[in-house]
Amino acid sequence: MNEYDDLTTQLTRSLSDHADVMTGRSLGLAEVKGRARGIRRRRAASAVVAAAAAVAILVPAVSLANHTGGKPEPAPATQTPSPSPTTTGTPDGSQPAPGVLDVSDLPTGAAPTMDYLENGTLHFADGGTGQVNTRYTPAQFVEMADGSRVWQTADDTGTPYVEIQDTDGTFHDPVRTGGGLSVNPKHSIVAWLTPAGQVVVWGARASEPAPLGDPVPGSDLRLGPVTGDDCSLACSVIVNVRDGRGQPWEVSDSGSQPLRDGGYLVVNDDSEGGLSIGFTEITDFKTCSKLLGGGEFQGFATCKNQLISFSPDGQLIQALPSYFDGVGPGGIAMYGLDGKQLFERSATAQVQSYFTVATWEDDTHVLAPTYQDGKWALVRIASDGSMEYAVAPVKGPYDQSRFLLPTGGNVPVA
Amino acid sequence: MDRPPEDRTGATSVLPGAERRSAQDARDADFAAYLAARQPSLLRTAYLLTGNRHDAEDLVQVAFAKLYLSWDKVRDHGSIDGYVRRILVNEHNSLWRRAWKKREHTAEDSVLHALDRPHHDTTDDGVGSALWDVVQTLPRRARAVVVLRYYEELSEAETAGVLGISVGTVKSQTSRALAALRTRAPETLNPRASEEDDR
């Protein structure tokens, strides 16, 4: 028996030994049927739930930035964009203590100014609703500049697919994907990965999706930013390889090659101004990030937060805690390009909140599906740290977000 | 509106409804028999994937619930075991859950750093535990490949089918997982290293 045989034999024995001690509690048919009913309900397109949004539109205008409920808020940093009073608010609720991500009793603001999915119903920014007619269950979607939508869906087994919905509402046949969609800032190119690591792009006058570059080697591939406006001219897609070695790849029509610029382990976002953010160190206990500067901005590094995405105008950076676990991030921060932290809000032992993905709604606000106390709410967070409901809290299971926001947010105004 | 068929006496028959209930009962009985038979095995696989009892039980419940929803379709096509195993693994790897378990990302990303740490367990009794410790630090997909290949003893092609990846990817992930395990494994699995150390 050679060394290899020894290892695999020992491995099989080890797995069997550990598996054998797992007896677990007996699962009955009633429990399975109950869980199945819950899954079926979530899959089904729900009835239109627009009451909260409708109420929000009718209320008097109050600046989100000024609506602090009498409690002090961190002052917006100077020389950074101020959150514009985009919202109308009710006198209900109040701002939580500074620094705390407490969304249990916020003022109600305006409805989201971007389309979003709530329990299977598509809510449009103009207040209308529509049904989602994808073949499988939506997990992510992107709105394209030409009015089409690209969905990532999953079948009953969890196998992911991409479904392209043309502007007339018709769907292309689903195609298998390795998971994840990424879109360029102008929303003219959407990219995904096949299970074999091949980047596929679609948009900007293309009738069908097309492969870009060569397949990226490695396991656990994640899409990074997409640059360029039209892949028939030039575009590139960053693919992060999260296999422990941290070597991002740059994929373009010239081929695929390791990205050496910047010394990133993971590239999170590029701005149209030529700046980039990503991770430079990842350990069990922290993640360090940097902004790679250019022009007037020298760049900065921080291990206090993970730098995640640029605002649409490229002037602010959304950030997450350096370390987090559990179901979702329990904190959010924003930075200016000069490295100044504008605010940070975090869950606490008393306030157990978390969100799924915070998506830029405009240059100074993000929307985040946030869970707390058994309810999901769509929360608007401004660059001064003030918060309000864009959709009021509704009961829901902790591990199933009620809301799905479009990746990349709104299509930019031309 | 459709009316229920009438029997020869002209009275409204209750048979269709009863038949439906009967068919539903038979379906449930069928499923319950499968549930009872396969639950222990699936739970063991789920435990190897998740590494803890609570998550394993939750994962198995979701897998069986999704199987229940598709029971008629799957039963008619056979290969129920493959189908439910596929649900189990995909659910475990699901993007939504994985995306926010940042703690696990960082654990995955630090695997190679962890593998660099010296390991001095040389007793036979420690081999199994040491391997299990390393298996638990593998990235989810690599771990799924290891579990399917070396616990479920599926072929490379079968593993590829369950995970929805190519055979080549299964091979490369297996190779890298074994390399990681070998690096971290006790010296008894790496006799040449021991010999070199003795010199």
Side-chain angles (χ1 to χ4, degrees), chain B residues 68-82:
Chain B
Y68 181 81
L69 293 173
S70 305
W71 182 246
D72 293 332
K73 180 177 65 181
V74 179
R75 186 179 50 179
D76 290 347
H77 289 117
S79 188
I80 303 171
D81 287 352

Side-chain angles (χ1 to χ4, degrees), chain B residues 83-139:
Chain B
Y83 187 83
V84 73
R85 194 188 284 121
R86 196 171 167 201
I87 296 174
L88 194 79
V89 174
N90 277 298
E91 184 70 20
H92 181 57
N93 290 341
S94 76
L95 291 171
W96 193 87
R97 289 182 177 208
R98 193 175 59 175
W100 314 123
K101 291 190 173 180
K102 203 62 187 176
R103 174 68 177 75
E104 292 170 11
H105 282 321
T106 54
E108 291 171 6
D109 293 333
S110 66
V111 167
L112 295 186
H113 297 299
L115 298 181
D116 290 338
R117 288 200 298 267
H119 190 94
H120 300 294
D121 188 350
T122 55
T123 66
D124 286 346
D125 287 344
V127 172
S129 294
L131 288 173
W132 172 240
D133 287 346
V134 181
V135 165
Q136 289 189 86
T137 67
L138 292 173

Side-chain angles (χ1 to χ4, degrees), chain A residues 31-174:
Chain A
E31 281 178 278
V32 171
K33 289 174 74 171
R35 188 78 178 245
R37 274 194 295 275
I39 293 170
R40 183 185 285 137
R41 271 199 301 272
R42 288 199 290 274
R43 285 178 183 170
S46 65
V48 175
V49 184
V55 168
I57 292 167
L58 298 173
V59 295
V62 175
S63 163
L64 168 57
N66 296 329
H67 195 116
T68 62
K71 297 175 183 174
E73 279 294 309
T78 55
Q79 296 180 329
T80 55
S82 297
S84 54
T86 60
T87 61
T88 53
T90 56
D92 60 340
S94 61
Q95 291 298 317
V100 180
L101 186 65
D102 182 352
V103 301
S104 60
D105 184 28
L106 298 177
T108 302
T113 59
M114 69 172 72
D115 299 349
Y116 66 98
L117 201 61
E118 181 178 3
N119 267 15
T121 298
L122 193 57
H123 292 250
F124 302 114
D126 65 4
T129 60
Q131 293 303 308
V132 177
N133 296 314
T134 51
R135 185 176 302 178
Y136 303 119
T137 306
Q140 188 181 357
F141 71 106
V142 164
E143 300 203 301
M144 302 297 288
D146 66 359
S148 58
R149 286 193 185 86
V150 180
W151 301 82
Q152 188 200 301
T153 58
D155 69 10
D156 290 348
T157 71
T159 303
Y161 293 84
V162 166
E163 300 187 40
I164 296 174
Q165 182 180 15
D166 283 329
T167 51
D168 64 0
T170 59
F171 281 85
H172 298 212
D173 286 337

Side-chain angles (χ1 to χ4, degrees), chain A residues 3-4 6-8 10-16 18-29 31-33 35-37 39-40 43 139-140 152 155-161 176 178-180 195-196 217-222 241-245 266 279 282-287 306 320 322-329 354-357 376 398-401, chain B residues 24 28-29 31-32 35 39-40 43-45 47-48 52-54 56-58 60-62 64-66 68-70 73 83 86-88 90-91 95-113 124 127-129 131-132 135 139-141 146-147 150-151 153 163-166 169 173-174 176 178-179 181-182 185 188-192:
Chain A
E3 183 186 326
Y4 181 87
D6 265 350
L7 177 59
T8 55
Q10 292 275 16
L11 179 57
T12 299
R13 188 179 305 149
S14 172
L15 293 174
S16 297
H18 283 87
D20 285 346
V21 302
M22 178 60 198
T23 51
R25 65 184 183 83
S26 184
L27 188 62
L29 178 62
E31 281 178 278
V32 171
K33 289 174 74 171
R35 188 78 178 245
R37 274 194 295 275
I39 293 170
R40 183 185 285 137
R43 285 178 183 170
Q140 188 181 357
Q152 188 200 301
D155 69 10
D156 290 348
T157 71
T159 303
Y161 293 84
R176 274 296 313 275
S219 60
D220 209 355
L221 306 179
R222 316 285 179 89
V241 186
R242 303 199 63 147
D243 60 358
R245 285 176 295 188
V266 171
F279 299 154
I282 304 171
T283 73
D284 270 350
F285 306 105
K286 67 177 181 182
T287 301
Q306 298 179 22
L320 299 178
S322 176
Y323 169 87
F324 58 88
D325 58 11
V327 183
Y354 58 86
F355 57 92
T356 55
V357 180
W376 284 96
Y398 77 98
D399 60 348
Q400 185 72 47
S401 172
Chain B
Q24 180 66 36
D28 282 0
F31 181 85
L35 174 67
Q39 188 181 156
L43 201 52
R44 287 194 289 270
T45 300
Y47 179 68
L48 294 178
N52 75 75
R53 186 178 299 265
H54 176 77
E57 289 175 347
D58 188 58
V60 167
Q61 190 181 64
V62 171
F64 274 116
K66 289 189 171 182
Y68 181 81
L69 293 173
S70 305
K73 180 177 65 181
Y83 187 83
R86 196 171 167 201
I87 296 174
L88 194 79
N90 277 298
E91 184 70 20
L95 291 171
W96 193 87
R97 289 182 177 208
R98 193 175 59 175
W100 314 123
K101 291 190 173 180
K102 203 62 187 176
R103 174 68 177 75
E104 292 170 11
H105 282 321
T106 54
E108 291 171 6
D109 293 333
S110 66
V111 167
L112 295 186
H113 297 299
D124 286 346
V127 172
S129 294
L131 288 173
W132 172 240
V135 165
R140 288 190 168 207
R141 283 188 187 173
V146 166
V147 170
Y150 298 109
Y151 175 70
E153 299 189 326
L163 291 170
I165 58 180
S166 69
T169 302
Q173 293 214 1
T174 303
R176 289 169 56 177
L178 291 178
L181 289 164
R182 190 176 295 108
T188 47
L189 289 176
N190 197 352
R192 279 178 299 194

